[in-house]
Amino acid sequence: MVAAAEDVTITVCPNGPLLVRGPARLQDVAGDPVVHDRPVIALCRCGRSALKPLCDGSHRLARFRDDAIACDMAEVMRTARSVPSEQG
Amino acid sequence: MYLHAQSLGNGPQDQSGTDAARGLHDEPPLLPTARGDTSHTLLEVLARDPRRGLADAARLAWRGPVVAGIGDALTDDALTDDDLQLAMWLSYELSYRGLARVDGDWEGQPDLVHAQRTWESDLHADLQDRTTARFGPAPAVRNRRELVDALEDVASAEQGPSLSKYLMRHATEAQFREFLIHKSIYHLKEADLHTWVIPRLSGAVKAAMVTIQLDEYGSGNLDGMHAQLFRRLMQHWQVDDRYAAHLERAPAVTLLASNIISMFGLRRRWRGALVGHLTLFEMTSSVPNSRYARGHRRLNGDDLSARFFDEHVVADAVHEQLAAHDLAGGLVRDEPHLGGDIIFGARCAALADELLAAHLVGAWEAGRSSLYGGGEPTSATAGSL
């Protein structure tokens, strides 16, 4: 069981989904809840799941590849700003 | 038989739980017919008093594959030998639900344990040979990343006919029932076989294992227990859902799938292999289960009983990640020397899956029943006793 006070963590799985642990509320844009009763849920990251937003294991068939190495977001933003805009 | 089966759990939820709970109790399986010298001797032995010891314990040894008298049961090794697999299954069952009219003290009886050990070393030797032949020499893994990559290779190395595609597209109702009969040997005690490993793990690895098993047991709710979801599925298909009701018709490859897990589960020494086995199971579960669900619905199966498959698609997509990274990955971090065992266990799971798929699809494509004893594809499912 997930303790109420526990933080929500989102783990980016290499070549796989986002794993959400803890008491996160999952909802659509209208604010309606995506009902689930699980302590951990997996959210699709490859785009191929037939059960979106949940993962259905399709990433393996799709040969989805993403290493999901932790990065420094500030560094990513600095790099992004230094790249000239594509519109030129 | 069907009346019995359908009276269980199909009605409105019994709030007190007592009647339904009693009805869902698994009775010890009836002893099956022997399939060769080893299982014959074992059945004879199990009728005796376990406190007396066995003067003739050597007779329990498996003397290698024989060509059984029944139809196509030509065997080539321990993995597919009906006699050995049945004997092993019976010996392990003493540690699950027991066996009908067999003294419970046979569990752990030294002569029987000795025999079980020799069977295990026969099976282990052939598993070692067959997995190496199938997947090549085991890679040396030193850390989590290398381990997960190696497991990924096993999970992606599909070979042979696809059972899930066959069920999705082609299976008849009779074949779908046969599929459930094979699967019932494992799924009516789903999770129990892997649960043995919990007290042999610690820390984060144990937490990951328990998170997975919690789902398997429906977080403690009877209706959500995977074994009960499977029972409901069997009821929908009017297949006898009593525990081990189909033992008599389960061929070696079906028993093998469970025996491998029991062998790994019952010995601490094999905790790495057990973890590898479960991890491969979880990594290769979501996609086949979504295909089974489509086959079930193609054959007009209802949504309520399809929950068994639907649940596995969603739950195992999570379990895949927990198993690969936290369970197997965590174990190799804590005990790096277990890397080889973890991969071996995963390879055994994949091999057993392939053998079962080849057996079922092979029989069906040849117009035969895949059940032990062969014959017509059957819908007479109330056991053959």
Side-chain angles (χ1 to χ4, degrees):
Chain A
M1 289 296 111
V2 178
E6 197 180 317
D7 286 343
V8 173
T9 62
I10 302 177
T11 308
V12 191
C13 300
N15 312 321
L18 300 169
L19 222 51
V20 183
R21 290 182 176 85
R25 271 204 320 255
L26 189 61
Q27 60 184 30
D28 63 18
V29 284
D32 293 324
V34 175
V35 179
H36 69 86
D37 56 358
R38 295 161 196 282
V40 188
I41 54 174
L43 300 179
C44 176
R45 204 159 68 93
C46 76
R48 288 281 293 268
S49 172
L51 295 173
K52 286 192 278 292
L54 301 178
C55 167
D56 72 352
S58 293
H59 47 269
R60 181 165 292 104
L61 289 180
R63 300 185 185 285
F64 174 65
R65 287 288 172 269
D66 180 72
D67 275 350
I69 309 284
C71 60
D72 179 339
M73 188 55 81
E75 178 61 31
V76 170
M77 297 308 286
R78 267 195 302 279
T79 315
R81 272 198 295 272
S82 70
V83 175
S85 135
E86 285 194 23
Q87 258 176 320
Chain B
M1 289 307 121
Y2 294 159
L3 278 179
H4 167 79
Q6 291 182 340
S7 68
L8 306 178
N10 269 5
Q13 185 62 28
D14 170 15
Q15 291 303 319
S16 75
T18 46
D19 288 346
R22 191 176 302 120
L24 291 166
H25 174 69
D26 294 335
E27 294 295 338
L30 299 172
L31 293 180
T33 315
R35 298 184 189 179
D37 290 345
T38 301
S39 55
H40 178 83
T41 305
L42 176 63
L43 288 165
E44 198 183 282
V45 160
L46 290 173
R48 304 186 204 160
D49 179 353
R51 282 154 290 268
R52 288 215 190 132
L54 292 181
D56 52 352
R59 287 175 56 217
L60 283 168
W62 180 61
R63 311 241 173 254
V66 290
V67 178
I70 300 164
D72 57 353
L74 201 137
T75 64
D76 54 4
D77 63 9
L79 280 64
T80 51
D81 188 82
D82 279 292
D83 185 33
L84 177 67
Q85 293 302 328
L86 181 62
M88 291 187 79
W89 191 92
L90 291 168
S91 73
Y92 290 138
E93 195 57 28
L94 291 164
S95 302
Y96 294 103
R97 310 293 191 265
L99 296 168
R101 292 188 285 281
V102 170
D103 192 317
D105 277 340
W106 275 111
E107 183 192 13
Q109 197 279 345
D111 297 312
L112 185 53
V113 169
H114 177 77
Q116 205 177 39
R117 287 270 174 149
T118 64
W119 300 335
E120 287 174 348
S121 70
D122 292 337
L123 177 59
H124 175 251
D126 283 345
L127 282 170
Q128 198 73 263
D129 289 350
R130 292 283 292 266
T131 53
T132 306
R134 167 70 181 84
F135 299 100
V141 295
R142 287 155 303 220
N143 56 45
R144 293 168 80 137
R145 177 157 283 252
E146 287 176 0
L147 177 75
V148 173
D149 287 348
L151 291 171
E152 191 66 49
D153 287 344
V154 181
S156 310
E158 282 180 70
Q159 195 180 74
S162 166
L163 177 60
S164 60
K165 285 182 184 165
Y166 190 96
L167 287 160
M168 175 170 71
R169 295 184 187 139
H170 310 298
T172 63
E173 288 186 20
Q175 289 167 343
F176 205 90
R177 286 198 178 91
E178 284 196 11
F179 166 67
L180 297 181
I181 286 171
H182 289 287
K183 288 288 181 181
S184 69
I185 296 293
Y186 168 78
H187 283 294
L188 287 178
K189 62 176 175 214
E190 182 171 352
D192 293 350
L193 300 77
H194 289 106
T195 296
W196 294 116
V197 85
I198 293 174
R200 290 152 197 172
L201 304 175
S202 60
V205 176
K206 174 180 273 192
M209 182 70 195
V210 172
T211 304
I212 292 171
Q213 295 306 86
L214 192 64
D215 273 349
E216 303 289 336
Y217 292 118
S219 300
N221 297 312
L222 179 63
D223 278 353
M225 269 171 56
H226 290 185
Q228 292 309 324
L229 296 178
F230 191 80
R231 177 159 269 144
R232 189 188 294 157
L233 179 67
M234 294 182 84
Q235 290 166 1
H236 175 79
W237 281 90
Q238 298 196 313
V239 176
D240 189 345
D241 66 327
R242 287 171 305 161
Y243 184 79
H246 307 285
L247 177 60
E248 197 75 74
R249 302 220 62 193
V253 283
T254 301
L255 302 173
L256 170 74
S258 288
N259 287 340
I260 289 173
I261 320 175
S262 295
M263 175 170 84
F264 292 156
L266 285 163
R267 311 238 183 272
R268 177 180 178 276
R269 179 253 174 276
W270 286 117
R271 64 196 177 285
L274 190 286
V275 161
H277 185 285
L278 179 63
T279 303
L280 199 283
F281 244 34
E282 302 292 357
M283 291 175 88
T284 54
S285 170
S286 289
V287 171
N289 271 288
S290 64
R291 291 179 184 149
Y292 300 151
R294 285 167 72 177
H296 168 85
R297 291 185 168 102
R298 173 177 64 79
L299 294 165
N300 301 313
D302 72 350
D303 284 340
L304 186 67
S305 57
R307 192 177 150 208
F308 173 81
F309 301 122
D310 298 342
E311 165 69 21
H312 277 85
V313 175
V314 176
D316 293 349
V318 173
H319 295 173
E320 169 183 347
Q321 305 302 330
L322 295 177
H325 299 288
D326 297 352
L327 179 62
L331 189 59
V332 83
R333 175 201 57 213
D334 294 348
E335 301 191 78
H337 61 284
L338 294 182
D341 285 351
I342 296 173
I343 291 171
F344 176 62
R347 289 172 159 203
C348 289
L351 181 69
D353 241 21
E354 286 178 3
L355 291 174
L356 185 67
H359 175 81
L360 267 65
V361 176
W364 293 341
E365 285 185 337
R368 286 182 282 113
S369 165
S370 62
L371 299 176
Y372 183 70
E376 293 289 307
T378 183
S379 54
T381 53
S384 49
L385 293 173

